[in-house]
Structure formats: C-alpha cells, structure tokens
Amino acid sequence: MTHRIAEDDYRDPGYRNAGYRDADYRDEGPLDPDDVYPSEDVDKKGRTPAQRKKRRWKIIRRCAYAFVGIFIVIPAIAFVITYFSVDVPSPQSVAQGQNQAVTYLYADGSPMGKDVPSGGNRQILTPQQIPDVVKHAVIATEDSTFETNSGFDVTGLLRAAFNQLTGKAGGGSTISQQYIKKATDNDAPTLTRKWTELAKSFKMNQTYEKQDIITAYLNIIYFGRGAYGIGAASQAFFHKDVSKLDYTEAALLAGLIQQPGRSENPKVAQGRWNTALDRMLENKYITAQQRQSAKFPDVIPLEESKDDTNAPYRFIRDQVKAELGQHGIDDDKYFAGGYTVQTTIDKHAQEVATKTATDALKDQSDDRLLDSLVAVDPKTGGVLAYYGGPGLVDVNGKKQAARDWANTPQNPGSSMKAFDLTAFLKMGKGINSTFDGSNNRVFDGRVVRNAGPSSSCAGQCTVAEAMKRSANTVFYDMVLNETHPGPVGQAAQEAGVKTKDNGGQSLISTADANIALGGGNTRITPADMASAYATFAANGIQRDRHFVQKVTNAQNEVAYEAQPSAGKPVFDSSADKAKQIAGNVTMALGPVVDFSKLKCPSGHECAGKTGTQQHTKRSGEPAWAANANAQTWMVGYTPSVSVAAWVGADGDQALHGAGTSPIYGSTIAGPMWQKFLDGYLKGKPAEKFDQVPLIGAQAPPQQQDQSAGDDHPPQETNGNEPDEPGDGNDHGGPITGGPTQPNWPTGLPHWPSGRPSTHNPPHSGGPSTGEDPPQE
C-alpha cells in the first residue's frame, strides 16, 4: 500500500528536514536513470551531462550535413550544370587566333610579301605525326600524372592553393588545364576562371582519348621564337620535321614551355633542358645511360629560324611593326589578327632604290663600304622607298641579322648646313648676306679650313655662294657668331629630325659650333635627313614620316587607318613665312647640285646638299688614311620626293675609292641619289618649286670668282668634317641662279646676282683633303 501525505504536509518544512527526499513522495514507477545523478551535475539550463553530450552530437551532425551540402552537394550540382554548359575548344579553332601570317601590300595594293612566324604557319598534327619521345618529354615535364588523372590533379590543386596562400610560385595545372587556359586565352587569377577551367578539363578527359588530348595541347602551346605548336617549334629551333626529333631535342622544347620568352637565354635554356631530362628519367621514359650521355642539342641561330623567301624587306617590316605598336597592335597581337598591312611604299620606287643602292657598291674596291637610301613623299610624309642594306650578313659562315643603316645615326657632315641656313633665315637675314669665305680661318684659337680652292671664296662671300661651294669657314662663322648652336638644332628638329628623347634615334649636340659642319656629337639617321629635307620641299610644312596606310584584320575589318595629314608650318607660326624660309633654303641648295657634278632629272627642278665626314687617322694606318673619309652623303629633293643617300662604314674607318683615293659625297652617294631620282621620276609630269620672295638684302655687285687658300691642311684641326671637291665651273658670283635660272623667283627688282652669270673661271685644284671643323 502506497503511503500518501497531504499536500499541506508535503509542503511542511519539518517533513523535509526529517530526512525525507522529494523522490520518496513522487508517483510510483521506474526512475529515469538521469534522475539518479546528484543535482549539482545539472547545468544552469537544467541539462545533465548526457543531455549536453547529445546536444553536441546533434550540432556536429547538423554542421556535417551543412558542410556536405555547401562543399560537396551544391558544388557537385553546380559542376554538373557547368559541365553541360561549356564546350572544349578544338585546336583548329584555337589556331585561327594564333600564329597567322601578316600580309604586306604596296601602296597600290599589290602584294609585297608575307611575314610568317618562326617555323612557318601553324601545323595541326595528328597523334600519329608526333613521336612518342616528344609526348613523353612534355608529359614528364609538365604533368607526370597525365595518363591517370581526370583532367585535374587533386594534390596539385592543394599544392597550388597552399602556394597561393603562402605567396609562393608554382601551380597545379595539368596538361588538360593548360590546354583550356591557352585555348580560351584566359589566365585571370579568379575562382570563376579556375572553376570553369576544371569543368572543361574534366569534360575534355571524358570526351577525348589521352592521345588526342596531348596532341591538341602540343598543337597550340607556345615554345618561343614566335612558334605556336610543336610542328612550328621543331622548324624554328632545329629546321626539322617533328618526326625527326630525338630525345635531347624533345627535352629542350618541353623545357621551354614554362619560359618561352627566355628561349634565347643560354642559361635558362640549359637549365630547362636539364629539368626535362631529369623528369624523363624519373618517369622511366629514358634510361640512366641516355641521361648521362645526353648532349645539349645544336639550335639554329635566331636569324635563320624564319623563312624569309617570300617575306617583305626586313627593315621595312621592322619599321612597320614599330609603327603598329604605337597604334595598339604590339608584338603580342601582331601575329594574332590575320592582319593585312597596306604600306606607303611605292613598288617601283622600292625596286629602283634597292637596285640603285646595290649596284652602287658592286664595283667598289673597298669591301667595307655600306649604303642606304630613303625616299619620302613631302606631300604626305609617307615613305616611298626604304633601303638600309642587306637584311642578313654572313659572319664566319653563319647568317646574322644586319644593322639597318637607314635608321643608324651618322655625322651628317655638310648636309647639316641647310639647318644652319634655316636658323639664319629665321633671324631675318638672307642668302645674300656676306661672310669671309677664305680658307684657314682661326676661331678662338682653332683653325677651320675649307676643302680646297674650289670650296673657298672671297673675303666678302655671300651665303648662297658659300652654300654652293660648301665653304666651311662661312657656316662655322655663321653658327658661332650669329645664330649660335641652339637655334640650328631647333631648326633641324622642327624640320623633322627625331632625337632619342623625342621617340627617334638621332642625336643633336648644341654644346659647341661643331654642329655647323655636322660633326662632333651630332648624328642623324638617313631616314631623318630625308624627312627633314622633305619639309623644305613641302614649303615649310612638316609631316611625320610613316609607313602604314591601313590595317585590316582576318574579318576584313579596319584595325587602323592613317588619316591624311595637313601638316604644320614650322620655322615660323605663319604658313606664309614658313614657306618663304623654306623657299630661300631651296634657292641656296639649287646650285649645289650642278656644282657637285650632278644633274636634276629631266623636266624637274631639284635642290640638295652633299656632306662628308673625315676619318681620324689612327696610329699604324698608312699615310693616305690622313686624307680619307669615313662617311658621305647626298640629300636632296624635288617638289614630289625627298631622298637621302648615305655611303659609309661601320664606325670611323679610312674608306677609299679607286686605289687609295678618298670618297666624297659627290663620288658615290651623289650618283646613287641621281640615279634613283632619274629612275623614279621617269615619265612623271615635270615640276618646279614655288617662287617666294627673297629674305634679307639683294645681292651685292658681282665679283670676280677667286679660289682663296691653299691645298694643304692646317696643323691644328680635328679632322672630322671634310667635304666634296668642287669643280670650279661656271658658277661665279655671289649667287648665280636658283634651282634653274629661267625660273628664278619673279617680282624682284633684279636677279639676285644682277643677271645670270656667264663667267667661266678656269678649274683650279684637284680633290682636296676635305674640310675640317675645329678641334674638340
């Protein structure tokens, strides 16, 4: 019988204090095991240890479910969705955006040639065309688990994640992932890109056989030297078909995949080759004996890695590439767009320039002679012809890339005097101003001499006469005491000379008066001289030199097009004044052509200036080297074309013509200039220069021509600026005619020299030793 107590009794403290427990008075029934623990084990919320344990496991289970859902189930679903939504690019589609030849056209749209990447255009090879030794080399070097992974390597991914977190280099990409990265041209460091890449890599491995995957990879990967794909790389590095590669050659190409941009660095190439061989040995693709006996393969020189048989002239291509880079088509994009480049080059002009420059050196006894010729259209700034020498030269039996002599700065010699005169005219002084043109004048203790009797003139010699005779003493005096060097350098740059601090190659030094005679540290490229003289031909309107008319891509869309240039007036802010200054320069340069025993093309007026740079004799050289010259020029123009012809050598060398006779601007460069103009302008309409008012005073009364000075060089000279010998023919008087006398500017009170001269002084003196600026 169960004992019960009254409610009031239960609540009586006495009963509780008598030792009865509350449990003794509860309802009968089995006790919950949890109820037997002492009350002190219950937490603040009334939960026993067992309850707390159960709750902890409940939380863990829920977290595990959430983890699985977030990191496994949802990604799996997303991966499946991504898998079915992406496509794997084929090698054929990738090839369309890589390694495409660039087509070059002449100005008239006729073909000039194709610039084909190293090793030729991309070759899409089959698995059977690529030998196993090549596949094994690449697998060992790039992805040793390739044969077994499913498109990605878990350990590689973890390693890549760790490296990224710790700031270390190195990734975990498989060959499949690298293929996708290259095929999509997407290397952005984002999770979205990596996720899509994994899905595509996995799909690729589910869709294609391993042989197809490694072949696809080898057909598009970049190896350096502009070669995309193993077929092109085999040609670019070894001039071999890929089927003929041995394991050492395969190892080098496999190693370069990681650093293709440093393929020409011997240390890097050797290191990558060793790495590839070591990994091939680890993966048992080669034997220990093969590894030990391996020798670094012979790689063909970079210059021979391209087939230039049908390529455009190398130096035109280089100039075009540099110009395209300024308009957003740099080296990375150059071969990627299937571009067609229409140049400014006139096909006929280029053929004449190449033949003329090549023929000019054929019969010369001095095999050190080099030459270049550049022709520019004054009305557009477009380059009509560009010859900088042969593109390749033989050095010890091997072909090497030659220097572009049309883009190499040289001392311009007396051809610089056109800029001396420009600066003088900008001061308001004219070509009939007079100077002492006698020989062996002393300036600040230094002796300046003329080239000889025919290059000297009277004590009161007009600037026009001094220009015709190339009297050094007049122009040195002019620059030292009148214009000063700075304005001469400014005039040259205004005309179009681009210095190194202004995007060009030329150098202009205004530190001393040597600039007057084109000596010292003043060096200008033939291309710049052609452009600068083109500004005189264009009546003082300067237009930048350019090679490109239009560029279209593979879809025939215009990627770049040069806009016609109105040019800008230089030498003065007023176009009329600029024209007057340029026209007066032309007046002075016109008689130089005939005085130098050259002729203008039939029906065309022309003007120009020769220039010569004297060789500095060195110890051990023969006596004749003291009178030898190192560089010679003829720069001149008609209203439609400006041409610079240069003949010289690599550095300061004692050049000679027949026997030991010195060469001058009028002996090789001059005839080359004339022959080009005759060939290019043949059949073209006759042309004359615009007439402009004379600047400064009229000519003084005509004086008897005289040849001052002597033939002997002074003792104190630095010997760095001779000029051509004159012929002492019928060019007496201060100024004896413009470009052609019957078309001398009208509107003047009288001819600048009173009337056309008929005086024919006897020829005096022979070829001189040249003209010299003072010592530096």
Side-chain angles (χ1 to χ4, degrees):
M1 180 176 183
T2 303
H3 175 72
R4 296 180 181 277
I5 60 175
E7 183 71 19
D8 292 339
D9 293 337
Y10 178 76
R11 294 180 177 180
D12 188 303
Y15 284 95
R16 298 173 66 90
N17 294 335
Y20 295 101
R21 294 185 305 163
D22 291 342
D24 294 338
Y25 300 99
R26 293 175 181 169
D27 292 338
E28 300 90 347
L31 295 173
D32 190 321
D34 294 340
D35 293 339
V36 301
Y37 285 94
S39 59
E40 57 270 15
D41 288 337
V42 179
D43 64 14
K44 294 181 179 180
K45 294 184 178 181
R47 294 175 298 192
T48 65
Q51 291 172 325
R52 294 197 297 273
K53 182 178 180 181
K54 185 186 295 183
R55 179 172 178 80
R56 281 196 300 270
W57 278 108
K58 186 176 182 180
I59 293 172
I60 291 173
R61 285 195 301 273
R62 288 178 177 177
C63 289
Y65 296 152
F67 181 87
V68 170
I70 294 173
F71 293 100
I72 297 178
V73 176
I74 294 177
I77 295 172
F79 192 84
V80 170
I81 295 172
T82 305
Y83 178 93
F84 286 104
S85 64
V86 298
D87 293 318
V88 178
S90 68
Q92 289 79 5
S93 65
V94 177
Q96 293 178 0
Q98 298 175 337
N99 201 35
Q100 300 181 70
V102 179
T103 301
Y104 279 68
L105 305 176
Y106 287 105
D108 62 1
S110 60
M112 179 187 293
K114 289 182 179 289
D115 187 14
V116 180
S118 299
N121 284 316
R122 178 186 304 283
Q123 304 172 49
I124 302 299
L125 305 178
T126 65
Q128 293 73 32
Q129 291 176 300
I130 303 176
D132 287 341
V133 66
V134 174
K135 297 173 185 173
H136 292 162
V138 174
I139 291 171
T141 307
E142 291 298 305
D143 181 9
S144 60
T145 67
F146 172 75
E147 298 286 359
T148 57
N149 66 50
S150 297
F152 53 86
D153 181 7
V154 175
T155 58
L157 290 175
L158 294 176
R159 183 173 62 253
F162 175 77
N163 288 339
Q164 190 171 24
L165 290 173
T166 57
K168 296 181 180 179
S173 295
T174 63
I175 282 176
S176 300
Q177 289 174 269
Q178 290 184 55
Y179 171 84
I180 297 301
K181 187 185 302 180
K182 175 59 66 176
T184 57
D185 196 25
N186 186 356
D187 196 21
T190 62
L191 292 176
T192 302
R193 192 272 301 173
K194 197 69 176 178
W195 176 264
T196 305
E197 180 185 289
L198 291 175
K200 289 183 177 182
S201 300
F202 183 74
K203 186 171 186 176
M204 187 177 191
N205 279 263
Q206 302 307 307
T207 307
Y208 300 101
E209 298 292 333
K210 289 291 185 178
Q211 286 293 309
D212 295 324
I213 296 173
I214 186 64
T215 300
Y217 175 74
L218 286 170
N219 274 329
I220 73 167
I221 201 67
Y222 183 58
F223 291 88
R225 291 194 170 186
Y228 289 87
I230 190 66
S234 181
Q235 293 291 340
F237 285 88
F238 305 110
H239 272 182
K240 283 186 177 182
D241 184 88
V242 67
S243 63
K244 300 184 183 301
L245 293 177
D246 62 29
Y247 76 96
T248 62
E249 295 164 336
L252 176 59
L253 294 181
L256 290 176
I257 290 174
Q258 286 295 321
Q259 292 184 301
R262 303 179 70 188
S263 61
E264 306 312 305
N265 184 314
K267 184 176 180 180
V268 172
Q270 185 87 28
R272 292 301 303 165
W273 177 73
N274 281 312
T275 297
L277 287 174
D278 290 342
R279 292 181 182 177
M280 290 173 73
L281 178 62
E282 291 173 8
N283 286 270
K284 297 181 172 49
Y285 289 134
I286 60 173
T287 66
Q289 176 61 32
Q290 286 178 305
R291 176 66 184 96
Q292 185 177 0
S293 62
K295 294 183 179 180
F296 192 78
D298 291 329
V299 178
I300 62 174
L302 178 63
E303 292 75 22
E304 297 182 23
S305 66
K306 293 187 63 176
D307 180 8
D308 285 337
T309 305
N310 297 310
Y313 178 51
R314 178 185 294 265
F315 298 140
I316 290 178
R317 180 203 63 194
D318 292 346
Q319 292 294 321
V320 167
K321 288 183 68 175
E323 191 171 320
L324 292 179
Q326 298 173 1
H327 300 291
I329 304 176
D330 54 21
D331 285 347
D332 292 340
K333 299 178 182 178
Y334 179 73
F335 285 122
Y339 295 115
T340 296
V341 180
Q342 185 173 7
T343 70
T344 62
I345 301 296
D346 182 285
K347 182 177 182 180
H348 175 59
Q350 184 64 29
E351 291 173 347
V352 173
T354 301
K355 187 176 188 308
T356 299
T358 303
D359 290 348
L361 302 184
K362 276 185 178 179
D363 299 326
Q364 298 298 324
S365 59
D366 193 336
D367 60 6
R368 299 168 299 170
L369 289 174
L370 304 165
D371 64 1
S372 66
L373 189 149
V374 181
V376 174
D377 185 346
K379 297 178 175 62
T380 66
V383 179
L384 299 172
Y386 190 91
Y387 180 81
L392 293 175
V393 293
D394 287 326
V395 178
N396 298 324
K398 292 186 177 181
K399 290 183 178 180
Q400 293 185 6
R403 187 184 301 181
D404 179 1
W405 296 105
N407 197 40
T408 301
Q410 312 284 356
N411 288 123
S414 287
S415 61
M416 193 73 186
K417 290 172 181 173
F419 308 122
D420 300 346
L421 176 57
T422 302
F424 190 65
L425 292 167
K426 289 175 65 176
M427 299 173 64
K429 300 183 179 182
I431 60 177
N432 285 318
S433 299
T434 59
F435 288 84
D436 182 355
S438 57
N439 197 12
N440 294 340
R441 292 186 60 196
V442 179
F443 298 90
D444 297 332
R446 296 178 177 181
V447 178
V448 176
R449 67 183 176 92
N450 297 321
S454 59
S455 293
S456 297
C457 52
Q460 291 297 308
C461 180
T462 66
V463 173
E465 182 70 10
M467 181 69 80
K468 180 186 69 176
R469 294 177 174 276
S470 200
N472 291 337
T473 54
V474 168
F475 288 93
Y476 194 86
D477 189 353
M478 176 191 295
V479 173
L480 180 67
N481 298 310
E482 297 284 343
T483 68
H484 305 301
V488 175
Q490 180 182 354
Q493 294 188 71
E494 288 175 343
V497 174
K498 299 292 185 182
T499 58
K500 288 191 174 182
D501 57 1
N502 193 28
Q505 297 294 320
S506 298
L507 299 168
I508 292 179
S509 172
T510 58
D512 51 46
N514 278 329
I515 191 175
L517 308 179
N521 292 321
T522 294
R523 297 180 177 88
I524 301 178
T525 68
D528 273 357
M529 290 300 287
S531 294
Y533 272 52
T535 301
F536 299 134
N539 295 317
I541 301 298
Q542 190 271 329
R543 296 177 176 88
D544 288 340
R545 181 176 69 251
H546 64 280
F547 287 78
V548 179
Q549 286 193 61
K550 184 170 67 173
V551 182
T552 56
N553 60 21
Q555 291 73 43
N556 203 32
E557 301 167 334
V558 176
Y560 166 73
E561 185 169 12
Q563 299 303 314
S565 173
K568 60 182 179 182
V570 291
F571 312 139
D572 194 275
S573 58
S574 166
D576 290 339
K577 185 65 175 178
K579 179 177 180 178
Q580 186 184 19
I581 292 172
N584 275 249
V585 172
T586 299
M587 289 182 193
L589 296 182
V592 173
V593 176
D594 188 48
F595 190 78
S596 300
K597 298 182 179 179
L598 301 172
K599 299 295 181 184
C600 297
S602 179
H604 299 268
E605 290 187 342
C606 66
K609 185 71 188 76
T610 53
T612 308
Q613 177 70 20
Q614 189 174 10
H615 165 67
T616 301
K617 186 178 181 299
R618 294 185 289 268
S619 175
E621 290 185 327
W624 62 264
N627 294 327
N629 298 318
Q631 300 167 32
T632 61
W633 297 75
M634 176 59 194
V635 190
Y637 52 92
T638 72
S640 63
V641 60
S642 174
V643 183
W646 169 84
V647 176
D650 185 0
D652 182 8
Q653 300 188 42
L655 303 177
H656 62 81
T660 59
S661 63
I663 64 171
Y664 297 93
S666 60
T667 56
I668 304 177
M672 185 167 74
W673 174 87
Q674 178 179 313
K675 187 175 180 181
F676 170 81
L677 283 181
D678 287 340
Y680 172 63
L681 294 174
K682 184 177 181 180
K684 295 185 183 296
E687 52 187 345
K688 297 179 180 179
F689 292 113
D690 290 346
Q691 298 178 2
V692 297
L694 195 67
I695 295 176
Q698 299 299 315
Q702 184 174 350
Q703 298 179 10
Q704 178 74 20
D705 184 37
Q706 67 183 77
S707 296
D710 54 47
D711 293 330
H712 302 287
Q715 295 298 314
E716 188 177 0
T717 60
N718 70 351
N720 73 343
E721 209 332 281
D723 209 339
E724 66 290 338
D727 61 359
N729 61 9
D730 57 344
H731 292 286
I735 185 165
T736 60
T740 51
Q741 289 179 347
N743 296 295
W744 192 258
T746 59
L748 298 178
H750 51 77
W751 286 71
S753 59
R755 58 184 177 83
S757 173
T758 58
H759 176 63
N760 291 287
H763 177 70
S764 59
S768 70
T769 58
E771 60 191 14
D772 288 328
Q775 293 179 342
E776 293 180 308

